[in-house]
Amino acid sequence: SYWPLTSPRQHAVLLHHVPDPSVFSEGEAALMPALMRWLVGTGRLRSQTLVAHEVPWLGRRVDLALLTARGVASAFELKIGRLQRVLEQAAYNRASFHQSWVVTGNQPRADGLRWAHDLGVGLLVVQDGIVTALASSTLLSPHPAAITRLRAAIRARGEVAG
């Protein structure tokens, strides 16, 4: 669903993280402007939230990682193609992040949606600039040592809007 930005602060946060949407025009990156608008509009991305792209983590790269002022870490994996592969990546992130999400440009089949639910992985579909949440990510408490290292990795690559 479309989430209108209701305040100048929301506009400022979005503008800070997506100053030029044309930068995100190819492949999976094309999903980013709509995702960022949804994150701001739903209150998941605020002025003090750290935002980090391509975070190196356990031998992989997380497409987008958020770290709230309270220390809650969320992972977002973006994929245009096969849902199975990105669901595997998101499930892998569940061990370290409080929440893990898949962002895709394709409507999933019933088995893919069921798998996301079973894994506790959030599933967002972006089509025509509109984000539809088909499944929510369940909130987990990662191991203290893992979350401490993860927070440091996000801080090393992240920036805040405020």
Side-chain angles (χ1 to χ4, degrees):
S1 48
Y2 179 77
W3 294 91
L5 302 183
T6 57
S7 74
R9 183 172 210 105
Q10 285 181 323
H11 285 284
V13 170
L14 184 64
L15 185 59
H16 179 81
H17 292 294
V18 188
D20 180 5
S22 69
V23 171
F24 301 102
S25 62
E26 294 186 21
E28 295 155 4
L31 304 172
M32 193 65 70
L35 172 62
M36 295 299 272
R37 174 180 275 286
W38 182 83
L39 290 168
V40 172
T42 59
R44 289 173 173 84
L45 174 53
R46 298 182 180 181
S47 61
Q48 294 304 308
T49 303
L50 272 170
V51 175
H53 297 271
E54 298 295 325
V55 176
W57 186 245
L58 302 178
R60 300 175 185 216
R61 291 196 176 268
V62 176
D63 292 331
L64 177 68
L66 303 182
L67 182 62
T68 69
R70 292 184 177 170
V72 175
S74 298
F76 294 84
E77 295 290 353
L78 285 65
K79 193 72 169 173
I80 296 289
R82 291 187 46 218
L83 188 62
Q84 179 180 348
R85 172 84 175 109
V86 74
L87 278 171
E88 290 170 0
Q89 291 174 282
Y92 188 72
N93 291 338
R94 296 287 291 154
S96 306
F97 287 80
H98 293 96
Q99 291 189 308
S100 184
W101 297 82
V102 166
V103 183
T104 182
N106 302 322
Q107 198 68 24
R109 295 190 326 238
D111 59 336
L113 183 56
R114 189 171 43 257
W115 195 18
H117 278 289
D118 292 348
L119 294 170
V121 169
L123 180 58
L124 305 174
V125 175
V126 178
Q127 293 182 322
D128 299 320
I130 306 296
V131 176
T132 304
L134 298 183
S136 291
S137 176
T138 54
L139 189 63
L140 294 180
S141 296
H143 187 278
I147 194 63
T148 298
R149 286 184 53 229
L150 177 62
R151 287 174 179 145
I154 295 172
R155 286 185 184 111
R157 293 192 64 97
E159 60 177 46
V160 296

